Amino acid sequence: IHVTINSVRAAGPCTPRYRVFLKAAHAVGYSDDAPIPLTDVLTWNGLSDALWALRAVVEPAAVRARIARSLACDYAEHVAHLWVAPPGVTWQPADTLRVVRAYLRGEATEDELMAAATHAFTAVYATNAHIAYAVVHAVAHATGADAVHGAAAYAADADADATAANADAPGALGTERAWQEQRLREVLA
């Protein structure tokens, strides 16, 4: 998956982060329209900017959306074990994520995807839990870049919440983000 200097510029990046990207790209010798691997953006600018840059990839939108939704599922699944349903909430993250994965394989319809989104949104409104937000981003944001960026942030927050609630638990915000970066590298390889 690739971006170009021009595609990133057209996507409307924030100026300070764009300058970091631009300086690194020019230092390597990329011209404005040369394809730049997203792994380079990840190396130069970090995870958050690389996830944001998914909106600027030059491959077809369907490719970007499939990769972003799949990553969003990965990020939500990675913290799904932390979910504890409050009384009266029967929704489980795995229920929704199964539908999203089936949709990505062409085995679920748009209607099934929207029904799964409704269940996830109901859980968000009932609990306001970061895990539920991560799942909602995986299912509801078809644009791709917003899906994975939001899912990554909420998954990291869920991990941090669990760590804060249990001082003996392994993990921390940095640990989850490091795992997310490694997963992105695997997907892009």
Side-chain angles (χ1 to χ4, degrees):
I1 250 185
H2 301 85
V3 297
T4 66
I5 291 171
N6 284 337
S7 71
V8 170
R9 182 183 308 119
C14 69
T15 302
R17 302 306 301 156
Y18 178 68
R19 286 183 182 145
V20 171
F21 164 76
L22 191 60
K23 181 178 178 180
H26 283 153
V28 174
Y30 286 115
S31 66
D32 286 0
D33 288 316
I36 302 169
L38 197 59
T39 52
D40 285 357
V41 178
L42 180 58
T43 299
W44 302 332
N45 283 59
L47 179 64
S48 188
D49 285 357
L51 295 175
W52 178 90
L54 278 169
R55 71 190 67 221
V57 300
V58 295
E59 283 79 10
V63 171
R64 174 188 65 230
R66 187 173 49 257
I67 287 171
R69 262 205 175 139
S70 180
L71 271 171
C73 286
D74 292 346
Y75 293 166
E77 283 173 344
H78 196 249
V79 297
H81 68 280
L82 301 172
W83 171 256
V84 177
V89 176
T90 59
W91 174 84
Q92 292 293 313
D95 299 337
T96 299
L97 294 170
R98 267 194 298 279
V99 175
V100 178
R101 296 275 191 204
Y103 180 80
L104 291 170
R105 293 187 307 269
E107 299 169 0
T109 66
E110 186 78 29
D111 287 343
E112 290 169 317
L113 183 67
M114 289 305 103
T118 299
H119 291 294
F121 276 114
T122 300
V124 165
Y125 295 131
T127 65
N128 200 30
H130 288 122
I131 296 166
Y133 278 108
V135 172
V136 163
H137 275 76
V139 69
H141 293 285
T143 57
D146 292 334
V148 70
H149 200 268
Y154 284 117
D157 288 346
D159 186 59
D161 290 349
T163 301
N166 180 4
D168 297 329
L173 184 60
T175 304
E176 183 63 20
R177 293 301 260 184
W179 180 86
Q180 291 172 356
E181 180 177 332
Q182 179 58 37
R183 182 66 190 129
L184 178 57
R185 287 187 187 283
E186 292 167 1
V187 167
L188 296 175

